[in-house]
Amino acid sequence: MALAAEMRMSSEDRKTGAQPQDPQLLNGLAMALDAAQLGIWELDFASGNIRRSLRHDQIFGYDTLQPTWNQMDSWRHIRPEDKAAVEQSYKEALVTGFWRAHFYIDRNDGKSQPITLSASVLYDVRGKPERMIGVISEDKDINRDAPNSLEDLARSEALKRSQQALRQNEHFTQTVLNSVADGVVVYDRDLRYVAWNRAMSMATGISSEQIIGRNVQEVFPQLLAEGVLDLLHRALQGENLRSGDRPFIVPATGEKIWIQSLFSPHFDADGEIIGVVGIIHNVTERRLAEENLIKLKSEEIARVQAEEAQHKISTILQSITDAFFAIDNNFRFTYVNPRAAQFLRRSADEMLGQDLREMFPTIVEHEDFHYLRKAMETRAPVKFESRLPHNKGWLAIRIYPSGEGISIYSHDLTRQKRAEDRLRASEERFRVVTENSPDIIVVIEPSGLIQYASPSAEALLGYSPEELEGRNLFKKFPSDASHTLRNNLLLLMYEPEKKITLELEITRPGEQDICLDIRANNLFTHPDETSGILLTMRDITRAKHHQKELVEARKKAEQMNRLKSSLLANMSHEIHTPLTSLLAQANLLAAEIPDKYRDAIERIERGARRLADTFGSVLALAQLEGSALGIERESFDLVREVQAVLQEHEKAARRKNLTLRIKSDHKEIPIYTDPLYIDRVLNSLVDNAIKFTEQGEVLIELTTSGPQVEIIVRDTGIGIHPEFLPQLFDEFRQESTGLSRMHEGSGLGLAITKRMVEALGGTIDVTSEPGVGSSFRVRLLTQPVENRSLQKSRRRMLAQQEAVSRRILNNGNGNGQSKRTNRVLLVEDNEDIRPLLEQLLKKVGEVDAFSNAEAALECAARTNYDIVLMDISLPKMSGLEAMLKLRSMHEYDNVAVIAMTGHAIPGDRERFLQAGFDAYIAKPFAPSELVSMVEAWI
Ligand code: ADP
């Protein structure tokens, strides 16, 4: 009984039930096994310690039970040559759950002893080996010399013996089984109960007598569903199995327990499976412990989470820009976030624990304070908007009952309110603008549905804005107009930023057609979100009408202008040609006729010149009016220019016994302007001064001040009547008119002068006193504001030509000297002029004259001419064409071709020079002018 006593656990331990350390199972068995001379042992995997019976230690050659024994102690005793095999089978046992082995041990007393070992492994819920319980028996009959056959023999012998022992004593077996705290059942191959211990009876209320011989399924049909039946069948196939935890209600007590079953095959002496042994553990305690642990864990998690949440909330409250504070039922601050502290102008520490009413008596007086009281009394949330004094802003306040008081949360609404105000103002502006605009303003959806229509829409669409909203705009137009509009608006879908402008003609049956100017663009609420299309439509029917009229008027004006130009061109040609002839004839006659006719000839010449002058003035005026006369500026000395003009008038002044002089504050006055214009202006003023002065002097004064130069033409003449002064610069105005006219002139000179001065950016004015004299003052800038590139040489050349022509007209005779050897080709179709010119040109060389270009060209191909004078208006081939033909002959590469024409309207000169002529001389010209030009070019 030493074994039983030794193995028994204390009553304390027993209470713990089927704990892994509990050797209860072994209590009864131990006695049986002791009797069968079997050593019993139990290995605890966690510590490696082995609890043994005395018999176990005796088999190992000890007389008494050893105080401690661990795996190493057992291992030490295994015969070295068996160690590898034993270790291998041990490892397999950990997997299979069963260990059977035969090997030799070296006993403590030095003897060698063959033993048989059999053991089962118990696992924990997670399937980890927890304990191993086994028996060993001595194989006395084993012959050391035949270990292989002896091992088999030993096994069968030992098994036989142990099973025999159990079988032989059924009562004994029952006793053993009944003493086990766990339920133990044994099934036969048909799963009929063959053993049922007391623990099972107590747990189920079914006695062994009631159950032995009955099939498991018959008694516990639910086991099929719980999968236990399957485990039993598998155990019958040789597996060692463990079920999961299953709940079980103890019928006797109604208590819910948790059980776990271990099933192992039950072998007979021959190793045949004859049934299944089941051990049913009560795992409730472990289960509860586990559940407890889980509960504890989840509580811990919940606590941590709550703490985290609280931390989070507090962090949020600390960082939000809204004010938040809490007070208890006595109005004492329990929490104040930084924003609230800032708002209340106290630190949180100062406020915590203090009574709100005492700290802030003014708040208490505030009309909103009753909301706090209300929330505190009713314990219901309150929400309101509060206006800060002095229009400083708005707050949205929410009060929540919380714990022992209330929480006050205040959000600054000022920006939102201001934005709302701005929005309202903007809406109001939009309304006022749209309602007062004569334009029709419509907001539509892309489908055409009208969201908004301004009152002005009524006039066009025939409905009030209220009636229009919700209707489709496209249906308000005739289909073709609507189609155009729709297509244009489609573009807005692809290019949202686009602004569309279109004009739409709408025909309305029975009514006047209208024309609309439509502008459309998307209305953006956000950068990439449109809320509709804004259309502004303006009735431009009348404007269109006016525009049409204007276009027509312009067309007409242009037509008239062309007519005028061609009229001027023809006139120019028709007047200049006979004048040329007249002057040339007079010139020739002057040399031939007796003196008594000379005066008459001079009168003819003067008359012709005046006619040419007047016509020149009319042309110049036309030229200025059409602003076709281009200004070409260059740098020159104004003093020298004035001197040159005075020189030209010297003769005339002397004739009238007048002093003609210049007075300048500088010897040289550089100026950058058009010398042609200046020449004309000066000539006109000096001409008049001499003309209207009978005695005294004509003085030209030049004074500069900064960038300005003043030219004053002063005379001591008849003066101008104050009444006439305002009209002085008007066209065709002369002081003495009608038959009583005292002086010659067209009355155009000053009008042209004024326009020219103004064209140069200057001014002209006059002061005069009848009988005393007149002063004409021209003011000019020495440098113009804008600067243009120049073609100096050509300009100078033209200026020279002008000067020459003027001199010829004034003096009558040129002084041509020419070399006889020069060959001149003349083409002129006018039968009157040609012989004259021929005669004239003989001064410079040999002349071949032709009346048409074809004949001239033919001759030009044969003869090398030194210069060609070409009329422009010729029969068949024009002078221009002939010039181009000449240019194509390389002999004429360096031969000057001069255009000689009555085409003398503005722009003609430029036109001919550009076409390729080397020079241009307008008819009428003085004979000497022509000779000079030819001499210059030859
Ligand atoms: P015209 O070519 O006939 O001279 P103008 O335009 O040059 O035309 O002059 C217009 C009129 O202004 C002249 O007829 C004359 O009455 C008056 N007038 C111009 N210059 C002077 C002057 N220096 N002294 C007096 N009268 C003048």
Side-chain angles (χ1 to χ4, degrees):
M1 287 327 284
L3 172 77
E6 198 273 327
M7 295 292 287
R8 195 178 294 127
M9 305 292 288
S10 72
S11 62
E12 285 292 315
D13 289 341
R14 215 170 298 135
K15 269 191 199 147
T16 58
Q19 291 298 305
Q21 297 85 352
D22 182 18
Q24 197 79 337
L25 170 69
L26 300 178
N27 271 352
L29 274 172
M31 287 187 287
L33 299 172
D34 201 19
Q37 292 289 295
L38 295 174
I40 181 166
W41 56 272
E42 180 201 4
L43 165 65
D44 175 25
F45 284 110
S47 63
N49 287 334
I50 300 173
R51 298 161 68 93
R52 298 96 42 220
S53 63
L54 177 61
R55 178 71 201 136
H56 173 280
D57 285 10
Q58 283 170 344
I59 291 173
F60 273 78
Y62 295 95
D63 293 334
T64 55
L65 191 69
Q66 295 303 296
T68 56
W69 190 280
N70 62 29
Q71 266 184 299
M72 287 314 295
D73 292 314
S74 297
W75 225 245
R76 197 156 38 83
H77 284 283
I78 300 171
R79 191 175 62 168
E81 55 262 54
D82 288 348
K83 269 184 184 161
V86 173
E87 197 179 340
Q88 178 63 29
S89 61
Y90 169 74
K91 279 183 185 160
E92 284 167 13
L94 291 179
V95 180
T96 61
F98 266 86
W99 188 17
R100 271 154 201 270
H102 308 282
F103 52 90
Y104 278 81
I105 54 168
D106 294 327
R107 281 164 53 104
N108 187 42
D109 51 16
K111 287 182 195 158
S112 187
Q113 174 66 49
I115 60 164
T116 295
L117 179 149
S118 56
S120 289
V121 183
L122 294 178
Y123 298 89
D124 69 5
V125 256
R126 288 173 200 86
K128 204 174 137 207
E130 204 168 59
R131 286 182 292 152
M132 188 181 257
I133 299 172
V135 290
I136 51 169
S137 60
E138 286 177 317
D139 292 338
K140 284 203 178 93
D141 301 336
I142 287 172
N143 183 341
R144 280 198 72 172
D145 298 331
N148 286 337
S149 58
L150 279 178
E151 260 179 40
D152 288 344
L153 188 68
R155 194 184 73 176
S156 64
E157 279 303 310
L159 273 173
K160 240 182 238 163
R161 206 157 349 111
S162 59
Q163 286 183 350
Q164 221 173 5
L166 287 170
R167 229 180 289 126
Q168 277 167 1
N169 195 339
E170 263 190 33
H171 175 70
F172 171 74
T173 308
Q174 200 59 49
T175 309
V176 170
L177 291 177
N178 286 345
S179 65
V180 176
D182 285 333
V184 180
V185 290
V186 182
Y187 307 90
D188 66 8
R189 283 205 66 88
D190 298 326
L191 297 181
R192 279 189 299 258
Y193 288 96
V194 292
W196 181 262
N197 77 345
R198 184 173 295 154
M200 289 303 285
S201 300
M202 281 165 69
T204 59
I206 302 170
S207 69
S208 67
E209 289 75 24
Q210 285 172 309
I211 203 163
I212 298 292
R214 290 174 70 186
N215 182 277
V216 61
Q217 207 177 343
E218 182 192 328
V219 187
F220 299 112
Q222 73 272 24
L223 292 183
L224 175 68
E226 288 175 5
V228 176
L229 217 59
D230 178 50
L231 296 181
L232 286 169
H233 282 294
R234 282 165 60 191
L236 277 176
Q237 299 304 312
E239 282 184 68
N240 291 288
L241 301 152
R242 185 170 44 80
S243 77
D245 292 355
R246 288 180 292 137
F248 181 77
I249 308 291
V250 181
T253 58
E255 184 195 359
K256 182 189 173 186
I257 60 164
W258 287 88
I259 55 169
Q260 188 192 47
S261 310
L262 297 166
F263 296 111
S264 308
H266 183 200
F267 297 93
D268 68 2
D270 301 323
E272 287 286 315
I273 296 170
I274 53 165
V276 178
V277 177
I279 297 172
I280 290 100
H281 285 293
N282 182 347
V283 292
T284 313
E285 294 268 335
R286 173 174 60 74
R287 196 71 205 187
L288 286 178
E290 279 173 6
E291 277 173 9
N292 236 357
L293 191 68
I294 290 168
K295 212 172 113 196
L296 274 177
K297 270 195 182 150
S298 59
E299 273 172 11
E300 173 69 6
I301 288 167
R303 192 182 58 76
V304 169
Q305 279 176 348
E307 267 173 20
E308 272 175 11
Q310 209 171 357
H311 178 70
K312 244 185 234 166
I313 289 170
S314 139
T315 313
I316 291 169
L317 289 175
Q318 292 285 321
S319 59
I320 54 172
T321 52
D322 292 336
F324 178 84
F325 65 94
I327 50 173
D328 66 12
N329 286 335
N330 295 318
F331 291 90
R332 288 184 205 288
F333 286 102
T334 52
Y335 179 84
V336 181
N337 84 339
R339 183 79 179 108
Q342 193 188 8
F343 188 73
L344 295 169
R345 294 170 196 278
R346 298 284 169 90
S347 76
D349 289 344
E350 257 179 283
M351 286 185 275
L352 287 175
Q354 297 298 316
D355 190 323
L356 166 83
R357 295 165 299 187
E358 285 166 17
M359 270 198 117
F360 303 102
T362 50
I363 289 186
V364 181
E365 280 161 26
H366 197 276
E367 53 184 318
D368 292 337
F369 191 71
H370 76 274
Y371 287 115
L372 265 75
R373 288 188 190 286
K374 191 175 152 198
M376 215 172 261
E377 281 158 20
T378 59
R379 310 294 304 153
V382 180
K383 215 162 89 175
F384 62 96
E385 279 181 11
S386 176
R387 193 174 195 148
L388 291 171
H390 313 302
N391 201 18
K392 270 192 182 151
W394 289 85
L395 297 176
I397 297 179
R398 285 159 200 216
I399 307 174
Y400 303 97
S402 63
E404 293 280 286
I406 51 172
S407 302
I408 297 98
Y409 176 91
S410 150
H411 174 70
D412 191 344
L413 274 185
T414 314
R415 292 179 92 185
Q416 188 185 328
K417 283 272 182 195
R418 299 243 195 278
E420 281 170 14
D421 284 350
R422 276 200 300 277
L423 185 69
R424 254 195 303 280
S426 148
E427 278 174 358
E428 180 61 12
R429 268 199 301 279
F430 177 76
R431 192 187 63 74
V432 171
V433 169
T434 54
E435 284 184 3
N436 293 296
S437 167
D439 290 350
I440 299 155
I441 296 163
V442 182
V443 179
I444 59 165
E445 288 173 14
S447 63
L449 214 65
I450 299 173
Q451 293 174 347
Y452 171 84
S454 67
S456 50
E458 188 163 1
L460 172 74
L461 304 172
Y463 293 94
S464 70
E466 293 74 33
E467 286 171 318
L468 278 173
E469 276 153 33
R471 283 172 190 257
N472 196 308
L473 177 73
F474 298 137
K475 290 194 181 140
K476 298 281 159 235
F477 293 131
S479 67
D480 51 343
S482 160
H483 189 71
T484 314
L485 180 62
R486 212 186 284 230
N487 280 350
N488 274 280
L489 295 187
L490 260 184
L491 293 176
L492 286 177
M493 291 181 69
Y494 300 107
E495 290 176 71
E497 306 286 346
K498 204 177 168 68
K499 290 191 185 339
I500 286 171
T501 312
L502 78 147
E503 279 180 12
L504 205 60
E505 290 251 357
I506 298 176
T507 39
R508 299 184 300 181
E511 275 183 87
Q512 197 205 347
D513 292 354
I514 53 165
C515 185
L516 290 179
D517 171 277
I518 299 181
R519 275 137 217 260
N521 48 273
N522 274 318
L523 273 181
F524 287 95
T525 37
H526 293 288
D528 52 356
E529 200 178 303
T530 57
S531 64
I533 298 169
L534 177 78
L535 290 169
T536 49
M537 300 189 260
R538 178 174 292 186
D539 186 348
I540 52 162
T541 317
R542 286 180 68 182
K544 265 278 172 208
H545 188 65
H546 289 318
Q547 199 183 357
K548 239 184 229 166
E549 281 179 348
L550 268 177
V551 169
E552 263 159 36
R554 206 177 117 191
K555 261 193 208 156
K556 222 175 230 168
E558 280 170 357
Q559 208 176 357
M560 293 303 288
N561 207 26
R562 274 199 299 277
L563 210 68
K564 187 180 110 187
S565 297
S566 91
L567 185 76
L568 278 176
N570 289 338
M571 288 272 291
S572 168
H573 184 258
E574 289 311 312
I575 293 174
H576 282 140
T577 309
L579 272 178
T580 311
S581 162
L582 196 67
L583 277 169
Q585 301 277 14
N587 193 264
L588 283 177
L589 277 176
E592 308 285 329
I593 59 165
D595 282 354
K596 60 174 179 175
Y597 298 116
R598 195 164 301 273
D599 187 44
I601 290 296
E602 271 176 17
R603 276 167 200 266
I604 293 173
E605 270 188 338
R606 261 209 313 279
R609 268 204 310 278
R610 249 183 81 188
L611 196 59
D613 264 358
T614 307
F615 193 69
S617 295
V618 172
L619 271 183
L621 197 65
Q623 209 170 16
L624 282 167
E625 243 164 23
S627 58
L629 195 66
I631 292 170
E632 293 189 33
R633 292 189 165 88
E634 60 184 87
S635 296
F636 60 94
D637 176 15
L638 185 63
V639 181
R640 282 188 64 182
E641 180 68 26
V642 173
Q643 280 166 345
V645 172
L646 290 189
Q647 222 169 1
E648 283 173 38
H649 289 82
E650 236 165 39
K651 236 186 208 170
R654 217 178 301 131
R655 260 202 297 268
K656 293 181 86 173
N657 222 359
L658 299 174
T659 318
L660 190 59
R661 66 185 178 100
I662 176 172
K663 188 180 155 199
S664 171
D665 61 350
H666 287 92
K667 266 192 165 172
E668 221 178 64
I669 301 175
I671 188 164
Y672 180 71
T673 186
D674 190 322
L676 260 187
Y677 275 51
I678 294 292
D679 194 56
R680 277 194 156 168
V681 167
L682 288 172
N683 263 302
S684 159
L685 294 177
V686 175
D687 209 42
N688 276 347
I690 293 172
K691 193 157 69 175
F692 295 105
T693 306
E694 295 311 321
Q695 58 180 17
E697 67 166 359
V698 172
L699 170 69
I700 302 189
E701 278 177 46
L702 298 175
T703 39
T704 53
S705 71
Q708 193 171 273
V709 61
E710 226 172 63
I711 309 166
I712 300 174
V713 180
R714 210 186 288 282
D715 65 57
T716 51
I718 58 167
I720 303 157
H721 203 272
E723 279 166 22
F724 179 64
L725 275 180
Q727 299 128 46
L728 192 68
F729 294 103
D730 292 351
E731 294 98 342
F732 304 109
R733 289 295 183 143
Q734 287 175 313
E735 195 169 358
S736 56
T737 48
L739 293 174
S740 64
R741 263 190 354 151
M742 285 156 65
H743 300 278
E744 288 177 348
S746 60
L748 282 173
L750 285 177
I752 293 170
T753 301
K754 184 171 192 253
R755 279 176 207 207
M756 283 188 156
V757 170
E758 283 172 357
L760 294 179
T763 56
I764 182 166
D765 55 40
V766 60
T767 50
S768 184
E769 206 179 314
V772 178
S774 314
S775 289
F776 286 84
R777 183 174 59 176
V778 174
R779 280 188 177 134
L780 287 169
L781 289 173
T782 47
Q783 288 285 330
V785 181
E786 98 280 29
N787 199 342
R788 291 204 343 215
S789 63
L790 305 166
Q791 288 172 291
K792 277 192 186 172
S793 55
R794 194 169 72 76
R795 292 297 304 156
R796 188 150 287 140
M797 192 189 85
L798 292 175
Q800 273 168 2
Q801 287 169 14
E802 290 274 340
V804 166
S805 67
R806 207 171 26 251
R807 254 192 307 276
I808 290 165
L809 281 170
N810 285 334
N811 301 333
N813 272 315
N815 54 342
Q817 279 174 1
S818 53
K819 294 176 267 164
R820 286 255 149 225
T821 45
N822 290 330
R823 300 210 60 169
V824 180
L825 178 64
L826 171 72
V827 192
E828 168 63 68
D829 67 331
N830 188 299
E831 299 300 334
D832 291 337
I833 296 176
R834 197 175 54 248
L836 281 172
L837 293 179
E838 211 179 330
Q839 185 78 15
L840 206 63
L841 290 167
K842 278 193 179 139
K843 289 181 184 174
V844 280
E846 223 170 279
V847 184
D848 290 331
F850 296 91
S851 64
N852 65 74
E854 290 90 339
L857 284 175
E858 220 171 277
C859 193
R862 282 183 272 112
T863 320
N864 284 345
Y865 291 102
D866 299 304
I867 194 157
V868 181
L869 283 139
M870 187 75 76
D871 186 19
I872 298 297
S873 300
L874 291 170
K876 287 196 204 161
M877 188 189 288
S878 79
L880 189 72
E881 208 183 329
M883 178 274 292
L884 293 172
K885 286 239 157 76
L886 273 177
R887 288 269 178 260
S888 67
M889 302 182 203
H890 86 103
E891 296 87 5
Y892 287 86
D893 277 353
N894 294 317
V895 174
V897 184
I898 298 174
M900 188 178 57
T901 173
H903 291 276
I905 59 162
D908 276 352
R909 179 196 302 276
E910 287 73 15
R911 195 154 58 86
F912 289 117
L913 292 179
Q914 221 154 34
F917 283 102
D918 295 293
Y920 165 95
I921 186 162
K923 292 174 183 170
F925 45 77
S928 55
E929 187 184 359
L930 181 72
V931 172
S932 301
M933 183 173 270
V934 171
E935 279 174 347
W937 279 102
I938 211 154

